[in-house]
Amino acid sequence: MRNDLDQIEAAFVGTPLAGLPIGHGPAGTVLVSDVDPDRLHEAWQAADALVPVLGRRPVLVTDDWDGTLRFRPEPEPGPSESELRAFAEAAEASDPWLIYRHHSEDDEVDEGEVGYYARGVAGVDLTALVSDVALPTERRVLERTLYDRLLADADLYGRVSASVRYVTQTDYWYTPNSVLLMLLPTSDVRSSGYWVDFWGCPHLGVPAEARRGVGPVASPVGRPPGRVVGHHAAVPGGSSPGAG
């Protein structure tokens, strides 16, 4: 209802979001457009500070790839409280990261294969760091050992870090051209997964039609949900090898 928009506009007064266009979004959300791509952190912080007032969790989204992410003339129904509760319970009991687990992570590494894994994408030979590891061993054990010992060697760590900047440093993060702030009709972080996903993780049985029209996440602070349903978002930052 328009009253909801008026309340949100009033709450925005005195914040970096004041005066920005606001309208109804998909599935019970509210969209705020024209967010400055160079001030995403500031915009998100302002909206997050208003969660106790508005009861809406903020997510930054981009319509760079999807022109359907636009204001609706009337509010669209969102999920019921029972649907959200069931989703949150399923989310708590799930392990969405398993979708990224490659079958090769269960492979065993033999003596002749250590060099391949010890060089990795960095191109720096780290074989000496695992010379005492009994072989054969599981790949994840070898990579975990490599990672832990690399962190303990400042010189080697510096060489490896410099060679993989493109996947670990913010210099290479994706910067969208157009950003909107999406205010979800929930204040619960876990329930916000109903509207967003992370690079194709399972949706825990949420009907596809309930998520239609929601767009890709641009840059939520701290990377909570990584992308909104059905689209890709660049997710910067490295991960420890073998940690998953």
Side-chain angles (χ1 to χ4, degrees):
M1 292 181 290
R2 179 65 222 185
N3 287 345
D4 292 336
L5 302 185
D6 292 340
Q7 179 190 14
I8 293 171
E9 287 180 330
F12 283 174
V13 173
T15 77
L17 304 171
L20 295 181
I22 182 173
H24 300 293
T29 64
V30 169
L31 295 176
V32 182
S33 65
D34 298 349
V35 178
D36 186 346
D38 294 324
R39 302 178 67 187
L40 298 184
H41 191 179
E42 187 178 352
W44 187 91
Q45 282 185 315
D48 187 62
L50 293 173
V51 171
V53 177
L54 301 176
R56 288 179 173 270
R57 179 66 51 187
V59 180
L60 290 167
V61 300
T62 179
D63 58 353
D64 278 1
W65 305 287
D66 186 0
T68 65
L69 192 60
R70 60 184 183 276
F71 292 161
R72 271 68 168 166
E74 298 292 336
E76 294 185 355
S80 66
E81 289 187 14
S82 60
E83 286 178 301
L84 273 186
R85 185 166 53 253
F87 180 91
E89 291 172 355
E92 188 173 7
S94 74
D95 185 359
W97 301 109
L98 288 178
I99 195 171
Y100 301 116
R101 183 174 177 82
H102 194 271
H103 63 84
S104 65
E105 292 184 32
D106 296 320
D107 291 350
E108 286 198 337
V109 179
D110 293 318
E111 187 170 350
E113 301 171 320
V114 172
Y116 172 79
Y117 292 104
R119 281 189 296 272
V121 298
V124 179
D125 190 353
L126 306 176
T127 308
L129 294 182
V130 289
S131 59
D132 62 337
V133 174
L135 300 173
T137 189
E138 294 179 0
R139 173 186 163 185
R140 61 184 181 84
V141 172
L142 180 71
E143 291 184 334
R144 182 79 251 182
T145 303
L146 276 169
Y147 181 73
D148 291 339
R149 292 180 178 180
L150 176 63
L151 292 183
D153 189 317
D155 291 337
L156 268 181
Y157 175 78
R159 290 172 58 195
V160 171
S161 181
S163 69
V164 294
R165 281 186 61 85
Y166 70 98
V167 292
T168 62
Q169 304 299 310
T170 58
D171 317 37
Y172 298 88
W173 285 19
Y174 160 72
T175 301
N177 296 312
S178 174
V179 179
L180 302 90
L181 183 71
M182 177 177 284
L183 303 178
L184 308 177
T186 181
S187 60
D188 180 57
V189 173
R190 191 176 298 278
S191 295
S192 65
Y194 188 97
W195 290 268
V196 300
D197 69 9
F198 188 89
W199 280 95
C201 280
H203 291 291
L204 306 172
V206 178
E209 60 271 16
R211 305 185 307 269
R212 187 175 300 138
V214 185
V217 162
S219 179
V221 170
R223 301 281 159 185
R227 65 165 200 167
V228 172
V229 176
H231 303 271
H232 291 82
V235 179
S239 60
S240 61

